[in-house]
């Protein structure tokens, strides 16, 4: 034992000092360790790890627990997020220290917020029936009409569309300008996002902040964002074609609308999850008991999160079929619980994507199931020993789910006004955000962190 203590005497501090040992006498002679630590963060990590290894023999001593635990905590704290082993390196997405992580995190959270606003602006564009006002598209965009002659030219092109002929015939030039500006703003907001994403990305790459793993992930998200413009035009083009029936209203394909919205959700989720991973490479875990509790929460949170995403996508088919303007009663659909025509289309599968009655019924069932599932998640985890942040997230999620169902019912009963329809779409994305945050928070910590945790969290 004393040979091990002698080793400590020989350790030289990085600044030329030494780490000293002193003996203190109590009722029985006890040797305690007192390290005079220099203010050298690099040497500190090496010293702490050596102390943790060399003092392992102190465990049998009856009164050594305090400083052994202290050294273990020091060693683990110094290694979190900066571990030298292979697993630790995988956690690091950004080089350059905490300042670089903060800068990249702010950029990614800002990009995610921009996509959130894009989804809302797209919802307003759809609810105001502005999406078909621009009858052509360029990848790089173009200037809006700047003279009265140019406005009349654009208006003439719109007059050739089925929407004008069947719905907006006789529209004034001023009304056309409103819907044109809505669609133009939506398109240019998306292009601006591409520029605002690419410029910081290039800067951070040049500075060496972006690791290979993060670079590949962000490149994939950028490519998906660039493709989103193509998907949007592919969707709009379907609404510029003559409907199959002379009695049908011109509208975009519900399949293409769902693809456009799902792609936007995927970009948002990818950006938000990546931003969380940058600023929080390890989940909040202060004890093994809390890690076990988080694992139990995750078994429920993951399927519930998937259900929330499916419910949100089903809303795209409600919008694509204008199903919100049918059966504006609740809880019954008209005078019945289930309309008689829910399975009228052939083949059968078409009813779930094209039949107005079936699409709305599906969305009602999915929304109710989602609310019950989130309530079950809260009920099942209320007595678990979990981190307070996880408890708070679960409480916020069930509150948001209740609000979202209320918004959905209000939107339906009010015949889908623009304000409530937009709020309902924002609520869907907010609920999805909370589920992403919850699943990210309860993920399993790295093995290096797990080994350093006490069994039970300390209470103050």
């Amino acid at each position: 034992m004393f040979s091990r203590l002698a080793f400590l005497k020989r350790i030289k501090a990085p600044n030329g000092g030494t780490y000293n040992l002193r003996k203190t006498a109590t009722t029985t002679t006890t040797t305690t360790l007192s390290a005079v630590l220099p203010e050298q963060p690099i040497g500190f990590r090496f010293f702490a790890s050596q102390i943790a290894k060399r003092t392992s023999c102190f465990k049998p001593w009856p009164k050594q627990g305090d400083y052994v635990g202290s050294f273990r905590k020091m060693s683990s704290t110094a290694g979190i997020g900066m571990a030298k082993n292979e697993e630790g390196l995988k956690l690091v997405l950004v080089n350059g220290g905490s300042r670089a992580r903060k800068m990249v995190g702010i950029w990614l959270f800002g990009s995610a917020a921009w996509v959130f606003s894009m989804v809302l602006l797209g919802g307003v564009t759809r609810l105001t029936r502005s999406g078909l006002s621009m009858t052509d598209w360029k990848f790089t965009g173009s200037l809006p009409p700047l003279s009265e002659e140019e406005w009349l030219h654009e208006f003439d092109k719109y007059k050739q569309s089925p929407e004008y002929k069947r719905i907006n015939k006789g529209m004034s030039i001023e009304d056309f300008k409103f819907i044109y500006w809505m669609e133009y703003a939506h398109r240019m907001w998306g292009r601006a996002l591409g520029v605002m994403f690419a410029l910081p990305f290039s800067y951070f790459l040049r500075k060496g902040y972006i690791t290979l793993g993060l670079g590949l992930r962000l490149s994939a998200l950028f490519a998906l964002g660039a493709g989103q413009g193509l998907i949007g035009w592919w969707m709009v083009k379907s609404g510029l074609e003559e409907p199959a029936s002379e009695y049908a209203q011109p509208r975009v394909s519900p399949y293409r609308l769902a693809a456009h919205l799902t792609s936007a959700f995927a970009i948002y989720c990818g950006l938000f999850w990546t931003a969380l991973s940058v600023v929080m490479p390890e989940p909040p875990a202060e004890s093994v008991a809390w890690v076990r509790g988080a694992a139990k929460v995750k078994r429920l949170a993951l399927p519930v999160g998937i259900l929330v995403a499916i419910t949100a996508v089903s809303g795209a088919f409600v919008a694509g079929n204008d199903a919100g303007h049918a059966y504006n009663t609740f809880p019954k659909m008209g005078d019945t619980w289930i309309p008689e025509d829910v399975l009228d289309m052939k083949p059968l599968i078409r009813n779930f994507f094209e039949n107005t009655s079936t699409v709305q019924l599906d969305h009602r069932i999915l929304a109710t199931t989602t609310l019950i599932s989130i309530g079950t998640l809260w009920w099942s985890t209320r007595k678990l020993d979990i981190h307070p942040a996880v408890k708070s997230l679960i409480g916020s999620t069930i509150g948001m789910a209740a609000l979202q169902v209320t918004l959905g019912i209000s939107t339906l009963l009010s015949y889908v006004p623009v304000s409530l329809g937009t709020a309902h779409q924002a609520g869907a994305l907010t609920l999805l955000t909370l589920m992403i945050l919850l699943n990210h928070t309860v993920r399993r910590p790295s093995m290096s962190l797990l080994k350093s945790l006490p069994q039970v969290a300390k209470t103050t």
Side-chain angles (χ1 to χ4, degrees):
M1 179 186 306
F2 289 101
S3 63
R4 291 178 179 270
L5 293 177
F7 167 80
L8 296 175
K9 293 181 180 179
R10 295 193 298 271
I11 296 179
K12 296 293 184 180
N15 62 353
T18 59
Y19 301 112
N20 299 321
L21 292 172
R22 71 172 182 268
K23 295 183 179 179
T24 59
T26 57
T27 310
T28 60
T29 303
T30 305
T31 303
T32 59
L33 179 63
S34 174
V36 182
L37 297 177
E39 296 184 1
Q40 297 284 345
I42 298 176
F44 169 78
R45 186 175 294 114
F46 171 78
F47 174 72
S49 62
Q50 291 297 326
I51 292 298
K53 294 177 182 178
R54 297 290 178 174
T55 55
S56 59
C57 62
F58 289 359
K59 292 181 180 178
W61 289 20
K63 295 184 179 180
Q64 300 295 335
D66 291 340
Y67 62 79
V68 171
S70 176
F71 283 127
R72 181 182 298 173
K73 183 176 181 181
M74 290 162 58
S75 177
S76 63
T77 304
I80 291 176
M82 300 294 292
K84 298 299 183 182
N85 56 22
E86 183 179 352
E87 183 180 15
L89 291 175
K90 290 180 181 178
L91 292 175
V92 178
L93 294 177
V94 176
N95 300 317
S98 59
R99 182 175 178 274
R101 288 198 300 273
K102 182 178 179 181
M103 291 173 62
V104 174
I106 291 174
W107 164 57
L108 290 176
F109 279 124
S111 298
W114 198 306
V115 175
F116 193 108
S117 68
M118 276 286 300
V119 173
L120 296 191
L121 184 57
V124 174
T125 302
R126 176 182 53 80
L127 289 168
T128 55
R129 302 191 71 95
S130 304
L132 301 178
S133 58
M134 297 179 67
T135 57
D136 51 19
W137 181 82
K138 293 181 180 179
F139 184 79
T140 56
S142 58
L143 292 175
L146 300 176
S147 64
E148 195 65 23
E149 183 180 354
E150 290 178 346
W151 275 114
L152 291 173
H153 177 66
E154 290 295 328
F155 194 21
D156 287 339
K157 290 194 293 184
Y158 177 66
K159 287 179 179 180
Q160 305 304 314
S161 69
E163 183 179 67
Y164 177 83
K165 295 175 181 177
R166 299 195 184 191
I167 299 175
N168 291 331
K169 193 168 185 177
M171 169 186 277
S172 67
I173 184 68
E174 296 303 320
D175 290 337
F176 170 72
K177 287 180 180 181
F178 172 78
I179 63 173
Y180 187 95
W181 278 121
M182 288 298 303
E183 174 64 10
Y184 185 83
H186 182 56
R187 294 188 185 188
M188 297 310 296
W189 198 243
R191 292 184 175 95
L193 171 61
V195 174
M196 297 303 293
F197 184 87
L199 291 180
F201 187 28
S202 301
Y203 171 77
F204 291 136
L205 279 175
R206 184 180 180 84
K207 296 287 288 185
Y209 294 164
I210 306 294
T211 61
L212 177 61
L214 180 59
L216 292 175
R217 190 185 307 184
L218 294 180
S219 297
L221 289 172
F222 183 75
L224 186 58
Q228 180 71 336
L230 294 172
I231 296 173
W233 171 244
W234 178 60
M235 175 191 70
V236 169
K237 193 175 180 181
S238 66
L240 299 175
E241 300 170 356
E242 289 289 341
S245 170
E246 61 179 324
Y247 303 104
Q249 286 191 0
R251 63 167 69 109
V252 300
S253 164
Y255 299 100
R256 299 186 188 187
L257 176 61
H260 190 51
L261 185 63
T262 303
S263 178
F265 279 14
I267 295 170
Y268 173 79
C269 293
L271 285 171
F272 188 65
W273 183 277
T274 303
L276 289 173
S277 299
V278 166
V279 301
M280 191 169 63
E282 292 278 13
E286 298 178 22
S287 71
V288 174
W290 281 0
V291 171
R292 290 172 181 162
K296 294 177 182 178
V297 174
K298 185 177 182 180
R299 284 198 290 268
L300 295 173
L302 183 59
V304 172
I306 294 173
L307 180 59
V308 169
I310 293 173
T311 304
V313 172
S314 74
F317 287 97
V318 174
N321 290 280
D322 283 338
H325 292 94
Y327 302 105
N328 298 97
T329 56
F330 191 86
K332 288 185 175 181
M333 297 180 69
D335 297 327
T336 62
W337 290 99
I338 301 177
E340 297 179 356
D341 61 343
V342 291
L343 300 177
D344 279 0
M345 288 187 174
K346 304 296 179 185
L348 186 65
I349 191 67
R350 287 182 57 201
N351 291 282
F352 297 95
F353 305 105
E354 300 177 38
N355 188 324
T356 300
S357 301
T358 313
V359 165
Q360 191 187 122
L361 178 63
D362 286 347
H363 193 60
R364 291 185 182 212
I365 293 173
L366 284 169
T368 305
T369 305
T370 299
L371 180 61
I372 294 173
S373 299
I374 294 176
T376 303
L377 170 65
W378 171 81
W379 181 263
S380 303
T381 59
R382 73 192 193 285
K383 294 183 179 179
L384 287 179
D385 186 14
I386 52 180
H387 197 285
V390 178
K391 283 185 177 290
S392 178
L393 269 175
I394 295 174
S396 300
T397 302
I398 191 171
M400 187 63 230
L403 176 60
Q404 175 66 353
V405 170
T406 303
L407 283 171
I409 295 172
S410 301
T411 303
L412 181 69
L413 297 179
S414 304
Y415 292 86
V416 198
V418 174
S419 57
L420 284 177
T422 305
H424 187 51
Q425 186 158 319
L429 201 50
T430 302
L431 183 58
L432 186 59
T433 300
L434 289 173
M435 290 307 306
I436 293 171
L437 183 56
L438 177 59
N439 277 280
H440 192 274
T441 305
V442 298
R443 73 197 192 283
R444 182 180 176 84
S446 66
M447 189 58 64
S448 58
L449 175 59
L450 196 59
K451 289 178 179 179
S452 69
L453 296 177
Q455 287 296 319
V456 181
K458 294 182 179 179
T459 57
T460 56

